[in-house]
Amino acid sequence: QVQLVESGGDSVQAGGSLRLSCAAFGHTYSIYSIYCMAWFRQVPGKEREGVAFIDRYGTTSYADSVKNRFTISQDNNKVNLYLQMNSLKPEDTGMYYCAAGYSGSGCHHDYPFRAWGQGTQVTVSS
């Protein structure tokens, strides 16, 4: 499986914007085989939450809490995954992880992701 490395997390005031990046490393065929990629976030005391998903056809889905504020995208070769976060709120604070998987359907919260990054911290102050 591929190795994923997130970057771009930072401390920002409410209303600000951040763009998170996730770089995929591995053999070309491993990256090419990815079907679904996503961004998750987690805060202490709460379970990990899927916030944005994108499949190999470019179909996206979002958690209700981030719709109209976050945009997930990826390079054509799937080497890089992005999460553009606008109008940030304090409740967006958390550790953000990117994930990737190979199963060929159902790119959503129940998807069997196989590769995970180490996470990048996003802190939004009021």
Coordinates of all heavy atoms in Angstrom, one line a residue, residues 15-94:
G15 N -13.0 32.0 10.7 CA -13.3 32.8 9.5 C -12.1 32.7 8.5 O -12.3 33.0 7.3
G16 N -11.0 32.2 8.9 CA -9.9 32.0 8.0 C -9.9 30.8 7.2 O -10.9 30.0 7.2
S17 N -8.9 30.6 6.4 CA -8.8 29.5 5.4 C -7.4 28.7 5.6 O -6.4 29.3 6.0 CB -8.9 30.0 4.0 OG -10.2 30.6 3.8
L18 N -7.5 27.5 5.3 CA -6.3 26.6 5.2 C -6.4 25.7 4.0 O -7.6 25.3 3.7 CB -6.1 25.9 6.5 CG -5.5 26.6 7.7 CD1 -5.6 25.6 8.9 CD2 -4.1 27.1 7.5
R19 N -5.3 25.3 3.5 CA -5.4 24.2 2.5 C -4.4 23.1 3.0 O -3.2 23.3 3.2 CB -4.9 24.6 1.1 CG -5.2 23.5 0.1 CD -4.8 23.9 -1.3 NE -3.4 23.9 -1.6 CZ -2.8 23.7 -2.8 NH1 -3.6 23.7 -3.8 NH2 -1.5 23.7 -2.9
L20 N -5.0 21.9 3.2 CA -4.2 20.7 3.6 C -3.8 20.0 2.4 O -4.6 19.9 1.4 CB -5.1 19.8 4.6 CG -5.7 20.5 5.8 CD1 -6.4 19.4 6.6 CD2 -4.6 21.2 6.6
S21 N -2.7 19.4 2.5 CA -2.2 18.5 1.4 C -1.8 17.2 1.9 O -1.4 17.0 3.1 CB -0.9 19.2 0.7 OG -1.2 20.4 0.2
C22 N -2.0 16.2 1.1 CA -1.6 14.8 1.4 C -0.8 14.2 0.2 O -1.4 14.2 -0.9 CB -2.8 14.0 1.7 SG -2.5 12.2 1.9
A23 N 0.4 13.9 0.4 CA 1.2 13.3 -0.7 C 1.3 11.8 -0.5 O 1.5 11.3 0.5 CB 2.6 13.9 -0.6
A24 N 1.1 11.1 -1.7 CA 1.1 9.7 -1.7 C 2.5 9.2 -2.3 O 2.9 9.7 -3.3 CB 0.0 9.1 -2.5
F25 N 3.1 8.3 -1.6 CA 4.4 7.7 -2.0 C 4.3 6.2 -2.2 O 3.7 5.5 -1.4 CB 5.5 8.0 -1.0 CG 5.7 9.5 -0.7 CD1 5.0 10.1 0.2 CD2 6.7 10.1 -1.5 CE1 5.2 11.5 0.5 CE2 6.9 11.5 -1.3 CZ 6.2 12.2 -0.3
G26 N 4.8 5.7 -3.2 CA 4.8 4.3 -3.5 C 5.0 4.0 -5.0 O 5.3 4.9 -5.8
H27 N 4.9 2.8 -5.3 CA 5.0 2.4 -6.7 C 3.9 3.0 -7.5 O 2.8 3.2 -7.0 CB 5.0 0.9 -6.9 CG 6.2 0.2 -6.3 ND1 7.5 0.5 -6.8 CD2 6.4 -0.6 -5.3 CE1 8.4 -0.3 -6.1 NE2 7.7 -0.9 -5.2
T28 N 4.2 3.3 -8.7 CA 3.2 3.9 -9.6 C 1.9 3.1 -9.7 O 0.8 3.6 -9.6 CB 3.7 4.2 -11.0 OG1 4.9 5.0 -10.9 CG2 2.7 4.8 -11.9
Y29 N 2.1 1.8 -9.8 CA 0.9 0.9 -9.9 C 0.0 1.0 -8.6 O -1.2 0.8 -8.7 CB 1.3 -0.5 -10.2 CG 1.9 -1.3 -9.1 CD1 1.1 -2.0 -8.2 CD2 3.3 -1.3 -8.9 CE1 1.6 -2.7 -7.1 CE2 3.8 -2.1 -7.9 CZ 3.0 -2.8 -7.0 OH 3.6 -3.5 -6.0
S30 N 0.7 1.1 -7.4 CA 0.0 1.2 -6.2 C -0.9 2.4 -6.1 O -2.0 2.4 -5.7 CB 0.9 1.1 -5.0 OG 1.6 -0.1 -4.9
I31 N -0.3 3.5 -6.5 CA -1.0 4.8 -6.5 C -2.1 4.8 -7.6 O -3.2 5.2 -7.3 CB -0.1 6.0 -6.7 CG1 0.9 6.1 -5.6 CG2 -0.8 7.3 -6.9 CD1 2.0 7.1 -5.8
Y32 N -1.8 4.2 -8.7 CA -2.8 4.2 -9.8 C -4.0 3.3 -9.4 O -5.1 3.6 -9.8 CB -2.2 3.5 -11.0 CG -3.1 3.5 -12.2 CD1 -3.3 4.6 -13.0 CD2 -3.7 2.3 -12.6 CE1 -4.1 4.5 -14.1 CE2 -4.5 2.2 -13.7 CZ -4.7 3.3 -14.4 OH -5.6 3.3 -15.5
S33 N -3.8 2.3 -8.5 CA -4.9 1.4 -8.1 C -5.8 2.0 -7.0 O -6.9 1.5 -6.7 CB -4.3 0.1 -7.5 OG -3.6 -0.6 -8.5
I34 N -5.5 3.2 -6.5 CA -6.4 3.8 -5.5 C -7.7 4.2 -6.1 O -7.8 4.8 -7.2 CB -5.7 5.1 -4.9 CG1 -4.5 4.7 -4.1 CG2 -6.7 5.9 -4.1 CD1 -3.7 5.9 -3.7
Y35 N -8.8 3.8 -5.4 CA -10.1 4.1 -5.9 C -10.7 5.3 -5.1 O -11.5 6.1 -5.7 CB -11.0 2.9 -5.7 CG -12.5 3.1 -6.1 CD1 -12.8 3.1 -7.4 CD2 -13.4 3.4 -5.2 CE1 -14.1 3.3 -7.8 CE2 -14.7 3.7 -5.5 CZ -15.1 3.6 -6.9 OH -16.4 3.9 -7.3
C36 N -10.4 5.3 -3.8 CA -11.1 6.3 -3.0 C -10.1 7.0 -2.0 O -9.2 6.3 -1.5 CB -12.2 5.6 -2.1 SG -13.0 6.6 -0.9
M37 N -10.2 8.3 -1.9 CA -9.4 9.0 -0.9 C -10.3 9.9 -0.1 O -11.3 10.3 -0.6 CB -8.3 9.8 -1.6 CG -7.3 9.0 -2.4 SD -5.8 9.9 -3.0 CE -4.9 10.0 -1.4
A38 N -9.8 10.2 1.1 CA -10.7 11.0 2.0 C -9.9 11.7 3.0 O -8.7 11.4 3.2 CB -11.7 10.1 2.7
W39 N -10.5 12.7 3.6 CA -10.0 13.4 4.8 C -10.9 13.1 6.0 O -12.1 13.2 5.9 CB -10.0 14.9 4.6 CG -8.9 15.3 3.6 CD1 -9.0 15.6 2.3 CD2 -7.5 15.6 4.0 NE1 -7.8 16.0 1.8 CE2 -6.9 16.0 2.8 CE3 -6.8 15.5 5.2 CZ2 -5.5 16.3 2.8 CZ3 -5.4 15.8 5.1 CH2 -4.8 16.2 3.9
F40 N -10.2 12.7 7.1 CA -10.9 12.5 8.4 C -10.3 13.5 9.4 O -9.2 14.0 9.2 CB -10.7 11.1 8.9 CG -11.4 10.0 8.1 CD1 -11.0 9.6 6.9 CD2 -12.5 9.4 8.7 CE1 -11.7 8.6 6.2 CE2 -13.2 8.4 8.0 CZ -12.8 8.0 6.8
R41 N -11.1 13.7 10.4 CA -10.6 14.5 11.6 C -11.0 13.9 12.9 O -12.0 13.1 12.9 CB -11.1 15.9 11.5 CG -12.6 16.1 11.7 CD -12.9 17.6 11.4 NE -14.4 17.8 11.6 CZ -15.0 18.9 11.2 NH1 -14.3 19.9 10.7 NH2 -16.3 19.0 11.4
Q42 N -10.2 14.1 13.9 CA -10.5 13.6 15.2 C -10.1 14.5 16.3 O -9.0 15.2 16.2 CB -9.8 12.2 15.4 CG -10.1 11.5 16.6 CD -9.6 10.1 16.6 OE1 -8.6 9.8 16.0 NE2 -10.3 9.1 17.3
V43 N -10.9 14.6 17.3 CA -10.6 15.4 18.5 C -10.7 14.5 19.7 O -11.4 13.5 19.7 CB -11.5 16.6 18.6 CG1 -11.3 17.6 17.5 CG2 -12.9 16.2 18.8
P44 N -9.9 14.8 20.8 CA -10.0 14.0 22.0 C -11.5 13.8 22.5 O -12.2 14.8 22.5 CB -9.2 14.7 23.0 CG -8.2 15.5 22.1 CD -9.0 15.9 20.9
G45 N -11.8 12.6 22.8 CA -13.2 12.4 23.3 C -14.2 12.1 22.3 O -15.4 11.9 22.6
K46 N -13.9 12.2 21.0 CA -14.8 12.0 19.9 C -14.2 11.0 18.9 O -13.0 10.9 18.8 CB -15.2 13.2 19.2 CG -15.9 14.3 20.0 CD -16.3 15.5 19.2 CE -17.4 15.1 18.2 NZ -17.9 16.3 17.4
E47 N -15.1 10.2 18.3 CA -14.6 9.3 17.3 C -14.2 10.0 16.0 O -14.6 11.1 15.7 CB -15.7 8.2 17.0 CG -16.9 8.8 16.3 CD -18.0 7.7 16.1 OE1 -17.8 6.6 16.5 OE2 -19.0 8.0 15.4
R48 N -13.4 9.3 15.3 CA -12.9 9.9 14.0 C -14.1 10.1 13.0 O -14.9 9.2 12.9 CB -11.9 8.9 13.4 CG -11.2 9.4 12.1 CD -10.2 8.4 11.7 NE -10.8 7.1 11.5 CZ -10.1 5.9 11.3 NH1 -8.7 6.0 11.4 NH2 -10.7 4.8 11.1
E49 N -14.1 11.2 12.4 CA -15.1 11.6 11.5 C -14.6 11.8 10.1 O -13.7 12.6 9.9 CB -15.8 12.9 12.0 CG -16.8 13.5 11.1 CD -17.3 14.9 11.5 OE1 -16.4 15.6 12.1 OE2 -18.4 15.3 11.2
G50 N -15.3 11.2 9.2 CA -15.0 11.4 7.8 C -15.6 12.8 7.3 O -16.8 13.0 7.5
V51 N -14.8 13.7 6.8 CA -15.3 15.0 6.4 C -15.4 15.2 4.9 O -16.3 16.0 4.5 CB -14.4 16.1 7.0 CG1 -14.4 16.0 8.6 CG2 -13.0 16.1 6.5
A52 N -14.6 14.5 4.1 CA -14.7 14.7 2.7 C -14.1 13.5 2.0 O -13.1 12.9 2.4 CB -13.9 15.9 2.3
F53 N -14.8 13.1 0.9 CA -14.4 11.9 0.2 C -14.4 12.2 -1.3 O -15.2 13.0 -1.8 CB -15.4 10.7 0.4 CG -15.6 10.4 1.8 CD1 -16.4 11.1 2.7 CD2 -15.0 9.2 2.4 CE1 -16.6 10.8 4.0 CE2 -15.2 8.9 3.7 CZ -16.0 9.7 4.5
I54 N -13.5 11.5 -2.0 CA -13.4 11.6 -3.5 C -13.0 10.3 -4.1 O -12.1 9.7 -3.6 CB -12.5 12.8 -3.9 CG1 -12.5 13.0 -5.4 CG2 -11.1 12.5 -3.4 CD1 -11.9 14.3 -5.9
D55 N -13.7 9.9 -5.1 CA -13.4 8.6 -5.8 C -12.6 8.9 -7.0 O -12.4 10.0 -7.4 CB -14.6 7.7 -6.0 CG -15.6 8.3 -7.0 OD1 -15.2 9.2 -7.9 OD2 -16.7 7.8 -7.1
R56 N -12.2 7.8 -7.7 CA -11.4 8.0 -8.9 C -12.0 8.7 -10.0 O -11.3 9.1 -11.0 CB -10.8 6.6 -9.3 CG -11.9 5.7 -9.9 CD -11.2 4.5 -10.5 NE -10.3 3.8 -9.6 CZ -9.5 2.8 -9.9 NH1 -9.5 2.3 -11.1 NH2 -8.7 2.2 -9.0
Y57 N -13.3 8.8 -10.0 CA -14.1 9.5 -11.0 C -14.3 11.0 -10.7 O -14.9 11.7 -11.5 CB -15.4 8.8 -11.3 CG -15.2 7.3 -11.6 CD1 -15.6 6.4 -10.7 CD2 -14.7 6.9 -12.8 CE1 -15.5 5.0 -11.0 CE2 -14.5 5.6 -13.1 CZ -14.9 4.7 -12.2 OH -14.7 3.3 -12.5
G58 N -13.8 11.4 -9.5 CA -14.0 12.8 -9.1 C -15.3 13.0 -8.4 O -15.5 14.2 -8.1
T59 N -16.1 12.0 -8.1 CA -17.3 12.2 -7.3 C -16.9 12.5 -5.9 O -16.2 11.8 -5.3 CB -18.2 11.0 -7.4 OG1 -18.5 10.7 -8.8 CG2 -19.5 11.2 -6.6
T60 N -17.5 13.5 -5.3 CA -17.2 13.9 -3.9 C -18.4 13.9 -3.0 O -19.5 13.9 -3.5 CB -16.6 15.4 -3.9 OG1 -17.6 16.3 -4.5 CG2 -15.4 15.5 -4.7
S61 N -18.1 13.7 -1.8 CA -19.2 13.8 -0.8 C -18.6 14.4 0.5 O -17.3 14.3 0.7 CB -19.8 12.5 -0.5 OG -18.8 11.6 0.1
Y62 N -19.4 15.1 1.3 CA -18.9 15.8 2.5 C -19.8 15.6 3.7 O -21.0 15.3 3.5 CB -18.9 17.3 2.2 CG -18.0 17.7 1.1 CD1 -18.5 17.8 -0.2 CD2 -16.7 18.1 1.3 CE1 -17.7 18.1 -1.3 CE2 -15.9 18.4 0.3 CZ -16.4 18.5 -1.0 OH -15.5 18.8 -2.1
A63 N -19.2 15.7 4.8 CA -20.0 15.7 6.1 C -20.9 16.9 6.1 O -20.4 18.0 5.6 CB -19.1 15.6 7.3
D64 N -22.1 16.9 6.6 CA -22.9 18.0 6.7 C -22.3 19.2 7.3 O -22.5 20.4 6.9 CB -24.2 17.7 7.4 CG -25.1 16.8 6.6 OD1 -25.0 16.6 5.4 OD2 -26.0 16.1 7.2
S65 N -21.4 19.0 8.3 CA -20.8 20.1 9.0 C -19.8 20.9 8.2 O -19.5 22.0 8.6 CB -20.1 19.5 10.3 OG -19.1 18.6 9.9
V66 N -19.4 20.4 7.1 CA -18.4 21.1 6.3 C -18.9 21.5 4.9 O -18.1 22.1 4.1 CB -17.1 20.3 6.2 CG1 -16.5 20.0 7.6 CG2 -17.2 19.1 5.3
K67 N -20.1 21.0 4.5 CA -20.6 21.3 3.2 C -20.6 22.8 3.0 O -20.9 23.6 3.8 CB -22.0 20.8 3.0 CG -22.0 19.3 2.9 CD -23.4 18.8 2.7 CE -23.5 17.2 2.5 NZ -24.8 16.7 2.5
N68 N -20.2 23.2 1.8 CA -20.2 24.6 1.3 C -19.0 25.4 1.9 O -18.9 26.6 1.6 CB -21.5 25.3 1.6 CG -22.7 24.7 1.0 OD1 -22.7 24.3 -0.2 ND2 -23.8 24.5 1.7
R69 N -18.2 24.7 2.7 CA -17.0 25.4 3.3 C -15.7 24.7 2.9 O -14.7 25.4 2.7 CB -17.1 25.5 4.8 CG -18.3 26.3 5.3 CD -18.2 26.5 6.8 NE -18.2 25.3 7.5 CZ -17.2 24.8 8.3 NH1 -16.1 25.6 8.4 NH2 -17.3 23.7 9.0
F70 N -15.7 23.4 2.8 CA -14.6 22.6 2.4 C -14.7 22.0 1.0 O -15.8 21.7 0.6 CB -14.4 21.4 3.4 CG -14.0 21.7 4.8 CD1 -14.0 23.1 5.3 CD2 -13.6 20.7 5.7 CE1 -13.7 23.4 6.6 CE2 -13.3 21.0 7.0 CZ -13.3 22.4 7.4
T71 N -13.6 21.9 0.4 CA -13.5 21.3 -1.0 C -12.4 20.3 -1.0 O -11.2 20.7 -0.8 CB -13.4 22.3 -2.1 OG1 -14.4 23.3 -2.0 CG2 -13.4 21.7 -3.4
I72 N -12.7 19.1 -1.4 CA -11.7 18.0 -1.6 C -11.3 17.9 -3.1 O -12.2 18.0 -3.9 CB -12.1 16.7 -1.0 CG1 -11.0 15.7 -1.0 CG2 -13.3 16.1 -1.7 CD1 -11.3 14.4 -0.3
S73 N -10.1 17.7 -3.4 CA -9.6 17.6 -4.7 C -8.4 16.8 -4.8 O -7.7 16.5 -3.8 CB -9.4 19.0 -5.4 OG -8.4 19.7 -4.7
Q74 N -8.0 16.3 -6.0 CA -6.8 15.5 -6.1 C -6.2 15.8 -7.5 O -6.9 16.2 -8.4 CB -7.1 14.0 -5.9 CG -8.0 13.4 -7.0 CD -8.3 12.0 -6.7 OE1 -7.9 11.4 -5.7 NE2 -9.2 11.4 -7.6
D75 N -4.9 15.6 -7.6 CA -4.2 15.6 -8.9 C -4.7 14.5 -9.8 O -5.2 13.5 -9.3 CB -2.7 15.5 -8.7 CG -2.1 16.7 -8.0 OD1 -2.8 17.8 -7.9 OD2 -0.9 16.6 -7.6
N76 N -4.6 14.7 -11.1 CA -5.0 13.7 -12.0 C -4.3 12.3 -11.8 O -4.9 11.3 -12.0 CB -4.8 14.1 -13.4 CG -5.7 15.3 -13.9 OD1 -6.7 15.5 -13.3 ND2 -5.3 16.0 -14.9
N77 N -3.1 12.4 -11.3 CA -2.3 11.1 -11.1 C -2.5 10.6 -9.7 O -1.9 9.6 -9.3 CB -0.9 11.3 -11.4 CG -0.2 12.4 -10.6 OD1 -0.8 12.9 -9.6 ND2 1.0 12.7 -10.9
K78 N -3.3 11.3 -8.8 CA -3.6 10.9 -7.5 C -2.5 10.9 -6.5 O -2.6 10.5 -5.4 CB -4.3 9.5 -7.5 CG -5.6 9.4 -8.2 CD -6.2 8.0 -8.1 CE -5.3 7.0 -8.9 NZ -6.0 5.6 -9.0
V79 N -1.4 11.5 -6.9 CA -0.2 11.6 -6.0 C -0.5 12.6 -4.9 O 0.0 12.4 -3.8 CB 1.0 12.0 -6.8 CG1 2.2 12.3 -5.9 CG2 1.4 10.9 -7.8
N80 N -1.3 13.6 -5.1 CA -1.6 14.6 -4.1 C -3.1 14.8 -3.9 O -3.8 14.8 -4.9 CB -1.0 16.0 -4.5 CG 0.6 15.9 -4.6 OD1 1.2 15.7 -3.6 ND2 1.1 16.2 -5.7
L81 N -3.5 14.8 -2.7 CA -4.8 15.1 -2.3 C -4.9 16.4 -1.5 O -4.0 16.7 -0.7 CB -5.3 13.9 -1.4 CG -6.7 14.0 -0.8 CD1 -7.8 13.8 -1.9 CD2 -6.9 13.1 0.3
Y82 N -5.9 17.2 -1.7 CA -6.0 18.5 -1.0 C -7.4 18.6 -0.3 O -8.4 18.0 -0.7 CB -5.9 19.6 -2.1 CG -4.6 19.5 -2.9 CD1 -4.7 18.9 -4.2 CD2 -3.4 20.0 -2.4 CE1 -3.5 18.8 -4.9 CE2 -2.3 19.9 -3.1 CZ -2.3 19.3 -4.4 OH -1.2 19.2 -5.2
L83 N -7.4 19.5 0.7 CA -8.6 19.9 1.3 C -8.5 21.4 1.5 O -7.8 21.9 2.4 CB -8.8 19.2 2.7 CG -10.1 19.4 3.4 CD1 -11.3 18.8 2.6 CD2 -10.1 18.9 4.8
Q84 N -9.3 22.1 0.8 CA -9.4 23.5 0.9 C -10.5 23.8 1.9 O -11.6 23.4 1.8 CB -9.8 24.2 -0.4 CG -9.9 25.7 -0.4 CD -8.6 26.4 0.0 OE1 -7.6 26.1 -0.6 NE2 -8.7 27.3 0.9
M85 N -10.1 24.5 3.0 CA -11.0 24.8 4.1 C -11.2 26.3 4.2 O -10.2 27.0 4.5 CB -10.5 24.2 5.4 CG -10.2 22.7 5.3 SD -9.7 22.0 7.0 CE -8.1 22.9 7.2
N86 N -12.4 26.7 4.0 CA -12.8 28.1 4.1 C -13.7 28.4 5.2 O -14.4 27.4 5.7 CB -13.4 28.6 2.8 CG -12.4 28.5 1.6 OD1 -11.2 28.7 1.8 ND2 -12.9 28.3 0.4
S87 N -13.9 29.6 5.7 CA -14.8 30.0 6.7 C -14.7 29.0 7.9 O -15.6 28.5 8.5 CB -16.2 30.0 6.2 OG -16.4 30.8 5.1
L88 N -13.4 28.8 8.4 CA -13.2 27.9 9.4 C -13.8 28.3 10.8 O -13.9 29.5 11.1 CB -11.7 27.7 9.6 CG -11.0 26.9 8.6 CD1 -9.5 27.1 8.6 CD2 -11.3 25.4 8.9
K89 N -14.3 27.3 11.5 CA -14.9 27.5 12.8 C -14.2 26.8 13.9 O -13.4 25.8 13.6 CB -16.4 26.9 12.7 CG -17.3 27.5 11.6 CD -18.6 26.8 11.6 CE -19.5 27.3 10.5 NZ -20.8 26.6 10.5
P90 N -14.3 27.2 15.1 CA -13.6 26.5 16.2 C -13.9 25.1 16.2 O -13.0 24.3 16.6 CB -14.1 27.3 17.4 CG -14.4 28.6 17.0 CD -15.0 28.5 15.6
E91 N -15.1 24.7 15.9 CA -15.4 23.2 15.9 C -14.7 22.4 14.8 O -14.9 21.2 14.8 CB -17.0 23.0 15.8 CG -17.6 23.8 14.7 CD -18.2 25.1 15.2 OE1 -17.6 25.9 15.9 OE2 -19.4 25.4 14.8
D92 N -14.1 23.1 13.9 CA -13.3 22.4 12.9 C -11.9 22.0 13.4 O -11.2 21.3 12.7 CB -13.0 23.3 11.7 CG -14.3 23.6 10.9 OD1 -15.1 22.7 10.7 OD2 -14.5 24.8 10.5
T93 N -11.6 22.4 14.6 CA -10.3 22.0 15.2 C -10.2 20.5 15.4 O -11.1 19.8 15.7 CB -10.2 22.7 16.6 OG1 -10.1 24.1 16.5 CG2 -9.0 22.2 17.4
G94 N -9.0 20.0 15.1 CA -8.8 18.6 15.2 C -7.6 18.2 14.5 O -6.9 18.9 13.8

